[in-house]
Amino acid sequence: MNTLDMFSLKGKVALITGGRTMYGKGCSIALVDAGAKLYLASHSVDAARKTAKELSSRGSEEVEVIEFHQEDPKSIKNMVDYVVEKEGRIDIFVNCSRVIPRGEGRGWFQDEGALEWSVRVNSAGMLYMNMLVGEQMIRQRSGSIINFGSMMGLVGVEKHNYDGEPAMAEGAHSHDYALNKSGIIAWTRHAASYYGRYGVRVNTLCPGGLASDRTPARFSKNYGKHTQLGRLANEYDIRGPLLFLASDASAYITGVSIPVDGGYTCI
Amino acid sequence: MSVLNKFCLKGKNALIYAPQFIYGEEIASGLSEAGAKLWFCGEDTEALRLLEDKLNSSGVSIEGVIEYHQGSEENAICLVRKVREKIGKLDIFVDNGSNGLLKGWTHTYEEIYEDLRRTQLGLMLTVKHIGALMAEQDYGSIIFISNYAALVGCDVHKYEDNLEKFDEDFSLTYGFVKGSYVNYTRQAAGYLGEHNVRCNCIAFAPMYDEESEDFSRAFIRHSHLKRMTSAEDIKAAVVFLASDASSYITGVTLPVDGGYTAK
């Protein structure tokens, strides 16, 4: 087989959560460009349909939208059942969704409501959806699961990144984000152990900060100084790593968490 | 000052959450032997009293037991109020609460949520408020007790003669919860550091009498030091991180596992 063909997703069925914006959109683009049939699960159905239309114009298959609410276990199950009913399989599952906690207080002062919401949605919801997709992949005896950790699951906060940006600094010390992302990284190794004998691979991407139109210039500069490549991530940086883990190019890789952070965590 | 005095905990007050679980007895003995005054807190006050009696009979005295139902902000605030009343200055807090996690891989959403609510929500609220108390004091050491599952996955080959037990034992939530301590430790260390409050985590390997013969044999074969964790290993690691001997160490997860995760 030609090496580049190993990256092809032609004939594969992919399901993505949180694939509408930011890093998630980059992942959706990579999956579509590589030829996968993509199901885009989102709580914002109208906005997701617009994204799906845009994505469909890039690939040979139409991208379908599934309404999905991570706080609702029935909705999670419906999402998985829908794809299995339509396609009979799920070859690739990418979970990029993360819900911002609903509650009072920011950073270290997050209140019980915010922390409970995060445990309910980002932790319990994440494990439950992985478990359901995993059951299907066990039946298939194949599959690639990719979750989103973060560089903030690998290291603590560099306060100087927020110099001159007090509002951002206030939110940086949240309890739930580091706890959740650290848990995902460790869980990846356990899930790889559990699913390995069924031919199912489980890996995690740990991206760094992503530049957007709203990123303050001073933060970009501060943060860039902390990376080896001197910059925040751009919209293209996630695509290659995602496609590598999704495709047979990484057939012997399982249980890893790959920092995609411009070298932020290497010092 | 002699370096040995740096390990001494005389004059220090320590509070252990959920010491009735694995490692708790050794943690309590170690801190007491090093000179700390000890308090226990947790939901199961009967289990805490039983442990207190057991430790008393071996010469370890416990100053008091505080009933604490982890998992709500109100209870965490109440805990801190009781700590102020009964203990005064709190130098050392040890969280030993992430135990009794679900066994098996397939569960309902509600079961998964309850496991995480009990362990993770409780942990975050406790650390938020105990951390604030220690920040006021401008001194403190918080120690999270995790285990080697935070650093590596489960070796399926330990179960190769008994895959049914593998399916039964293997927990959907265990690795997630144990592993979540690793970077939470760094996060908490980052916030509390400027208040001279240190946060560290210990990843212990299993103790011999907690595991089956087959498991222990397989574990020992893979470890560098060819044995399971002893009571002395647990005591020494906790005293090190609790004491001023580690005054420049914060945000670390220390494997105490005979080198199991070093290869």
Side-chain angles (χ1 to χ4, degrees):
Chain A
M1 185 194 274
N2 178 286
T3 301
L4 284 179
D5 290 341
M6 292 165 76
F7 292 87
S8 170
L9 301 180
K10 274 190 187 134
K12 306 260 192 194
V13 176
L15 168 63
I16 187 167
T17 65
R20 185 175 65 80
T21 57
M22 303 291 281
Y23 275 127
K25 189 170 181 189
C27 294
S28 296
I29 290 171
L31 294 166
V32 166
D33 284 357
K37 165 73 183 177
L38 181 64
Y39 287 83
L40 183 66
S42 174
H43 65 280
S44 306
V45 178
D46 290 342
R49 286 206 178 103
K50 279 185 198 162
T51 307
K53 198 173 169 193
E54 187 190 325
L55 290 166
S56 298
S57 68
R58 299 177 70 98
S60 53
E61 303 251 20
E62 192 190 338
V63 175
E64 287 193 41
V65 171
I66 305 172
E67 183 171 356
F68 159 71
H69 300 276
Q70 195 167 324
E71 69 275 21
D72 176 6
K74 279 187 196 147
S75 173
I76 295 174
K77 186 158 188 330
N78 288 344
M79 167 186 75
V80 177
D81 288 349
Y82 181 81
V83 181
V84 174
E85 218 166 86
K86 294 262 299 197
E87 303 289 341
R89 58 189 300 110
I90 302 171
D91 298 299
I92 299 151
F93 175 56
V94 183
N95 167 35
C96 324
S97 61
R98 184 180 182 278
V99 180
I100 294 169
R102 292 177 186 173
E104 297 299 320
R106 296 188 70 211
W108 190 259
F109 302 100
Q110 285 176 303
D111 73 356
E112 182 184 335
L115 297 176
E116 192 278 336
W117 181 254
S118 185
V119 166
R120 175 180 294 280
V121 182
N122 295 321
S123 296
M126 169 264 167
L127 287 179
Y128 187 63
M129 72 170 100
N130 273 275
M131 184 194 87
L132 293 180
V133 170
E135 282 174 1
Q136 173 57 30
M137 288 182 171
I138 285 174
R139 286 193 281 275
Q140 299 165 192
R141 292 293 194 271
S142 70
S144 174
I145 293 175
I146 300 152
N147 280 289
F148 263 62
S150 166
M151 137 291 226
M152 291 307 298
L154 296 167
V155 292
V157 171
E158 171 51 75
K159 290 176 185 169
H160 297 299
N161 287 343
Y162 305 97
D163 285 349
E165 296 294 340
M168 289 180 85
E170 195 193 348
H173 282 290
S174 69
H175 291 263
D176 69 308
Y177 196 71
L179 188 85
N180 175 265
K181 295 301 185 186
S182 186
I184 289 173
I185 290 165
W187 185 82
T188 299
R189 293 187 283 262
H190 286 259
S193 303
Y194 183 77
Y195 291 118
R197 66 189 162 118
Y198 302 110
V200 177
R201 300 185 296 112
V202 187
N203 294 292
T204 287
L205 289 172
C206 293
L210 176 64
S212 77
D213 301 342
R214 290 169 296 164
T215 311
R218 181 150 181 189
F219 175 76
S220 295
K221 195 177 167 196
N222 294 342
Y223 187 98
K225 276 189 198 161
H226 205 90
T227 71
Q228 304 315 299
L229 299 181
R231 62 173 175 83
L232 283 154
N234 64 39
E235 61 180 300
Y236 302 102
D237 289 323
I238 204 68
R239 297 186 195 180
L242 183 277
L243 182 53
F244 174 60
L245 290 181
S247 68
D248 292 341
S250 61
Y252 199 52
I253 294 179
T254 192
V256 308
S257 293
I258 303 180
V260 185
D261 64 359
Y264 187 102
T265 53
C266 79
I267 53 166
Chain B
M1 183 196 276
S2 157
V3 68
L4 285 178
N5 291 339
K6 286 266 194 184
F7 292 86
C8 179
L9 298 178
K10 271 188 191 145
K12 310 265 190 203
N13 297 326
L15 176 65
I16 309 174
Y17 172 67
Q20 75 272 27
F21 292 124
I22 180 173
Y23 309 126
E25 187 179 335
E26 291 76 14
I27 290 166
S29 298
L31 293 173
S32 171
E33 286 170 26
K37 282 189 173 178
L38 285 187
W39 280 263
F40 289 166
C41 67
E43 289 85 355
D44 190 349
T45 48
E46 197 182 325
L48 298 183
R49 295 280 181 208
L50 281 174
L51 179 61
E52 182 185 12
D53 291 344
K54 189 178 175 191
L55 287 165
N56 279 339
S57 66
S58 59
V60 175
S61 65
I62 308 302
E63 304 295 323
V65 169
I66 300 172
E67 186 171 352
Y68 174 46
H69 294 263
Q70 188 172 258
S72 83
E73 189 115 49
E74 191 184 343
N75 289 355
I77 291 167
C78 182
L79 172 70
V80 168
R81 191 169 61 240
K82 286 179 187 170
V83 168
R84 286 184 201 278
E85 286 165 10
K86 293 173 191 279
I87 305 178
K89 184 170 182 248
L90 182 65
D91 302 287
I92 301 152
F93 178 74
V94 182
D95 175 278
N96 192 43
S98 67
N99 277 283
L101 292 157
L102 286 172
K103 284 197 165 189
W105 198 263
T106 306
H107 301 283
T108 64
Y109 172 84
E110 288 72 23
E111 288 169 336
I112 297 166
Y113 167 74
E114 182 50 31
D115 226 25
L116 301 179
R117 189 201 63 76
R118 184 174 59 79
T119 52
Q120 299 209 311
L121 176 62
L123 171 79
M124 291 187 283
L125 291 168
T126 304
V127 172
K128 174 182 169 185
H129 290 282
I130 289 286
L133 172 72
M134 288 180 163
E136 265 177 41
Q137 302 169 175
D138 209 28
Y139 184 86
S141 173
I142 295 175
I143 301 170
F144 303 115
I145 304 301
S146 183
N147 81 6
Y148 75 120
L151 304 171
V152 290
C154 181
D155 182 3
V156 64
H157 300 295
K158 283 202 203 87
Y159 297 88
E160 57 194 4
D161 297 330
N162 192 353
L163 283 174
E164 273 179 24
K165 185 161 177 11
F166 176 78
D167 282 335
E168 197 183 295
D169 275 5
F170 211 100
S171 165
L172 178 73
T173 54
Y174 193 83
F176 183 80
V177 171
K178 296 293 180 188
S180 64
Y181 279 96
V182 176
N183 211 48
Y184 186 63
T185 301
R186 297 190 191 101
Q187 182 77 341
Y191 181 76
L192 294 168
E194 65 189 26
H195 303 288
N196 196 32
V197 178
R198 301 183 295 112
C199 300
N200 294 292
C201 174
I202 306 177
F204 286 123
M207 290 194 284
Y208 187 77
D209 57 2
E210 294 289 331
E211 299 292 343
S212 69
E213 284 278 334
D214 287 349
F215 181 93
S216 299
R217 202 177 310 115
F219 183 91
I220 288 167
R221 190 169 61 228
H222 190 85
S223 79
H224 286 319
L225 298 181
K226 304 300 176 199
R227 63 176 176 82
M228 309 287 274
T229 314
S230 71
E232 285 68 29
D233 297 327
I234 295 162
K235 291 178 185 180
V238 168
V239 168
F240 171 56
L241 289 177
S243 70
D244 292 340
S246 61
S247 58
Y248 200 49
I249 295 179
T250 194
V252 309
T253 294
L254 174 66
V256 180
D257 64 358
Y260 186 94
T261 57
K263 64 179 182 180

